[in-house]
Amino acid sequence: YNEYFLSEKTVKPIAAEQLFLMAGPPGAIKHIEDMGFDVFRDYIDHDYYDHEPDWKLRLLKLLEVVGRLNEQDIPAIYHATKLRRVANRTYLASNTLRDILFKPLVNWINNAIIT
């Protein structure tokens, strides 16, 4: 698919305070990052796969990134990223994020009512 949206597959790992990769459309991780989430670029090489236009190649690259992540010291990463993962979860439930997600919809509705 070629649309960006927050689904339960994106929200669940954030709510569970996990690091995550996305098998989504090109630029999906960048979109999540632009919304204000920490995507842990210092541990995960999202640039390697996130902008790949060919979906098959993007998935293969994503699997390579998973393999490289798996070779790292996962418990150390877990402890080092604790506060950042908590911040992501907190942001997920914030009014700031709600405004980002719903403001365009509210504006569209208001414009539709006025015109």
Side-chain angles (χ1 to χ4, degrees):
Y1 58 93
N2 291 315
E3 299 294 325
Y4 302 116
F5 58 92
L6 285 179
S7 73
E8 78 286 354
K9 292 171 188 70
T10 305
V11 171
K12 281 182 178 182
I14 295 170
E17 299 177 8
Q18 298 172 343
L19 278 70
F20 54 92
L21 293 93
M22 290 184 68
I29 282 289
K30 179 71 172 120
H31 178 70
I32 295 298
E33 187 174 41
D34 289 346
M35 291 176 70
F37 289 101
D38 185 340
V39 297
F40 308 97
R41 288 187 180 277
D42 47 336
Y43 295 99
I44 303 170
D45 184 9
H46 296 293
D47 289 331
Y48 181 66
Y49 73 92
D50 191 42
H51 295 287
E52 172 58 51
D54 181 292
W55 70 269
K56 291 177 187 175
L57 187 53
R58 189 169 55 255
L59 285 176
L60 290 173
K61 287 182 169 188
L62 183 141
L63 291 174
E64 288 179 44
V65 171
V66 169
R68 288 195 298 266
L69 180 61
N70 194 45
E71 293 170 356
Q72 296 183 46
D73 186 348
I74 301 298
I77 294 171
Y78 176 82
H79 293 295
T81 60
K82 176 66 175 171
L83 294 177
R84 294 164 61 191
R85 291 180 288 109
V86 169
N88 267 356
R89 180 180 44 82
T90 302
Y91 180 64
L92 182 64
S94 73
N95 288 333
T96 302
L97 181 61
R98 272 191 219 111
D99 289 347
I100 290 170
L101 292 175
F102 294 118
K103 189 173 183 177
L105 177 61
V106 170
N107 289 341
W108 179 81
I109 291 169
N110 288 337
N111 288 334
I113 292 171
I114 293 171
T115 57

